[in-house]
Amino acid sequence: MKRRNFLQQLSLTGASLLTASAAGAAATASRQQPIPTADKPFNLNYATHDGMFKNSAGADFIDQIKFAYDHGFRSIEDNGMMARTPEQQKKIGDTLQKLGMNMGVFVVTSDNWHWKTSLTTGKQEWIGKMMSDCKTAVEVAKRCGAKWMTVVPGNYERSLSTELQTANVIAALRQASAVLEPHGLVMVLEMLSDNPDLFLRHSDQGYMICKAVNSPACKMLFDMYHMQRNEGDIINNLDRWWEEIGYLQIGDNPGRKEPGTGEMNYKNIFKHIHEKGYKGILGMEHGISQTGQEGETALIKAYRDADSFL
């Protein structure tokens, strides 16, 4: 072989080896690259709800759940789950199980009795309605894979003393706990700020009632939007009532929109919750500050920003 041809062949062989080596290195680097930020699970377990990603994923809740998963969310919640058909409930549950996601709260009620003057009265008609709904909720929970369910004891009964109303609520919730506890289910009592007629509005009330019911099936739902409106001091109140808090929900104030749209420093709040070792769900029970697909993209970014506390 002539010297010139030999050197040319050697050069081509070397270039080929370098190209193959570079390609192999690129492939290895690609495999070692971290998951894109948009697809990483969050540090905490945030739960989306039906309609939150309708512009990005379409009107079908199942498609929205898959979209949420692709963007790092690992739970959903659905206040109206009891109003869905058994087939819809099971389909949602099957989808969550397949994706390795969790089901958050749904509301225990069949005809919105929780907005009426109900459990505070001590009347059997309301207790019977709640007991019937709790039994139905057990079956709903089995189909959709739920553990937690929201209970609101209704409005203030102004013909009775606060003490007697409290006793009535405790008695009713003890009966409900007896239905739920054998199934490992937990009703979470939500303190609300919607109007002054509501009986359960403050976290010390919720704590006292849970202590009195004295069941693992009865805990507090600490919705930070409502608690900011009613009493503030969120981090200290989380610490005060922590042993009876079973579920958390999110919403900035004013406006009840995503973190970063109001006065609450959710990055610090989330950091505090994470440091306490919370492994449960944080429900995204709020609206979106911007419209359309752009608003939903901004929502995801807001959670990425608030969740970047590590």
Side-chain angles (χ1 to χ4, degrees):
M1 180 182 292
K2 292 183 178 180
R3 176 181 175 83
R4 180 183 297 174
N5 291 341
F6 173 76
L7 290 175
Q8 286 176 342
Q9 184 173 346
L10 183 63
S11 176
L12 289 170
T13 302
S16 177
L17 288 171
L18 285 171
T19 301
S21 175
T28 300
S30 176
R31 286 195 299 270
Q32 293 175 346
Q33 284 296 318
I35 302 170
T37 300
D39 294 332
K40 281 185 178 178
F42 291 86
N43 293 311
L44 291 171
N45 191 357
Y46 309 110
T48 67
H49 58 77
D50 193 0
M52 186 157 267
F53 294 124
K54 64 183 179 182
N55 294 291
S56 301
D60 190 316
F61 192 21
I62 298 296
D63 290 336
Q64 293 176 40
I65 292 171
K66 294 174 181 176
F67 177 89
Y69 177 87
D70 288 342
H71 287 78
F73 298 97
R74 291 296 180 263
S75 289
I76 68 159
E77 59 180 23
D78 185 42
N79 285 346
M81 182 66 78
M82 286 186 69
R84 296 183 185 273
T85 65
E87 292 75 22
Q88 290 174 323
Q89 294 163 1
K90 188 175 187 308
K91 187 175 181 182
I92 290 169
D94 289 346
T95 300
L96 295 175
Q97 185 178 34
K98 183 177 180 180
L99 293 171
M101 296 178 71
N102 303 117
M103 177 65 205
V105 292
F106 62 86
V107 177
V108 176
T109 187
S110 57
D111 63 354
N112 292 321
W113 58 260
H114 60 296
W115 294 126
K116 302 170 185 176
T117 305
S118 50
L119 300 186
T120 54
T121 66
K123 293 180 179 178
Q124 188 56 46
E125 63 179 290
W126 297 112
I127 296 173
K129 188 179 289 291
M130 183 198 64
M131 294 294 286
S132 175
D133 285 349
C134 282
K135 291 173 183 175
T136 301
V138 170
E139 300 307 313
V140 173
K142 289 177 183 177
R143 286 190 284 266
C144 68
K147 178 179 179 179
W148 302 273
M149 50 207 68
T150 305
V151 169
V152 177
N155 289 347
Y156 201 89
E157 174 52 78
R158 301 201 177 273
S159 67
L160 302 177
S161 69
T162 300
E163 293 77 11
L164 181 53
Q165 291 180 78
T166 302
N168 289 338
V169 169
I170 291 168
L173 295 178
R174 283 179 177 169
Q175 293 185 55
S177 294
V179 173
L180 301 175
E181 189 174 331
H183 302 279
L185 302 177
V186 183
M187 59 179 169
V188 284
L189 311 181
E190 185 171 14
M191 298 78 63
L192 297 169
S193 65
D194 299 283
N195 67 71
D197 287 328
L198 289 157
F199 172 75
L200 186 57
R201 300 187 72 240
H202 296 285
S203 53
D204 55 357
Q205 264 185 297
Y207 182 82
M208 185 269 289
I209 290 172
C210 287
K211 283 293 185 186
V213 174
N214 192 28
S215 168
C218 183
K219 295 295 179 182
M220 298 166 64
L221 192 171
F222 195 95
D223 185 316
M224 291 176 276
Y225 162 75
H226 288 299
M227 293 301 90
Q228 177 70 7
R229 293 187 72 201
N230 283 350
E231 55 198 34
D233 204 18
I234 297 298
I235 288 177
N236 282 331
N237 278 332
L238 283 168
D239 288 343
R240 287 186 184 103
W241 321 122
W242 189 253
E243 64 180 330
E244 294 296 336
I245 293 174
Y247 195 94
L248 298 168
Q249 285 182 328
I250 304 159
D252 213 336
N253 182 65
R256 200 175 189 179
K257 301 295 191 297
E258 69 269 20
T261 56
E263 65 192 356
M264 301 172 70
N265 189 335
Y266 266 108
K267 188 171 184 177
N268 278 351
I269 294 171
F270 289 163
K271 181 175 186 288
H272 186 74
I273 290 168
H274 185 271
E275 288 174 348
K276 293 183 76 66
Y278 183 70
K279 302 299 183 185
I281 293 172
L282 297 93
M284 299 160 62
E285 196 179 47
H286 57 71
I288 303 177
S289 61
Q290 301 178 47
T291 59
Q293 190 172 351
E294 295 79 9
E296 294 167 7
T297 300
L299 167 73
I300 296 170
K301 183 180 184 302
Y303 270 89
R304 287 293 171 193
D305 291 344
D307 189 71
S308 64
F309 49 77
L310 293 181

